Amino acid sequence: MNGPLTAAGDLRRLVVRDIRRELRIPDSLIVNTALPVLIMVLFVYVFGGAITTGSSGLAYIDFVVPAVLLMSSGYGAALTAVNIADDMTGGMIDRFRTLPISGWVVPAGHVVASVIRNVAAAAISLAAAVALGFRPSAGPADWALVLLLIVGYVLAMSSLAVLWGLLVRSTQAAGAFSFIVLFLPYLSDGVVPAETMPDVLRAFAENQPATPIVTALRALLLDQPMGSAGVVAAGWLAGTVAVSVPVAAVLFRRRTSS
């Protein structure tokens, strides 16, 4: 049986493998670096002049930056489903089964690599926002909580992505998950105020997980009242990880034991 140090070494090697694989794929590298900037430019320069921020009174760039952080990091995290599906259907798992490694480090490696890649994508988005005029007023403790929220969001989306990638049987089907995650912030209080939406959409926007996360990020970055958003956001993220990780572990064992 592999000890903790051996398993940690296996995990490190698989994380490095996943990151190197992404760096060797030009399309993926371009998406991970250019998409955050393009999204930020699109919202600020194309949509920004036509959208008001309602009762918040914020400039649109200040209003939308938290949602764009979720879009850029969440989209990349959701692509973890494609990576795990590719391993499951492309023969890589059969090769791993011949090696003396713990089975759990394979999906865990995908998740850890996703967190590293997509926190970096969020940082690129934030740098683009600052270049376009965003001026956060967060202090050191606020920045630490912003980082914690982004890491938590990427971890939750990556865990769900692994679960989705294990449920489907092709990389094409796995890719559909990225569109779900990408558009989740659109139907929140992140892109337009929920108060301006029709009743049905407003009810959904006010009670889906992206809204409290966006609200908490906005409060931390711009020194605004947070209310209960931080607690609700933490509950959503912790609950997502707590449910998806054990279910994904069961599915992975079933898929690899046959």
Side-chain angles (χ1 to χ4, degrees), residues 17 71 81 104 107-108 126 142-143 171 184 196 201 208 220 230 241 258:
R17 170 230 175 203
M71 289 178 198
W104 65 267
L126 189 58
D142 297 325
W143 281 114
T171 55
L184 191 63
T196 66
L201 284 179
Q208 62 117 321
L220 291 168
V241 173
S258 57

Side-chain angles (χ1 to χ4, degrees), residues 174-190:
F177 185 67
S178 62
F179 293 98
I180 298 173
V181 175
L182 178 63
F183 285 103
L184 191 63
Y186 282 91
L187 299 176
S188 72
D189 194 45

Side-chain angles (χ1 to χ4, degrees), residues 36-38 40-41 44 61 65 122-134:
V37 178
L38 291 176
M40 185 64 65
V41 171
V44 173
I61 188 172
V65 162
I124 293 172
S125 289
L126 189 58
V130 170
L132 294 174
F134 178 62

Side-chain angles (χ1 to χ4, degrees), residues 52-63 193 195 218 222 224:
T52 61
T53 59
S55 59
S56 71
L58 295 172
Y60 187 66
I61 188 172
D62 296 332
F63 182 85
E195 64 195 48
R218 194 178 287 141
L222 300 171
Q224 292 196 326

Side-chain angles (χ1 to χ4, degrees), residues 18 20 97 151 188:
D18 287 335
R20 284 179 175 174
R97 290 170 67 180
V151 169
S188 72

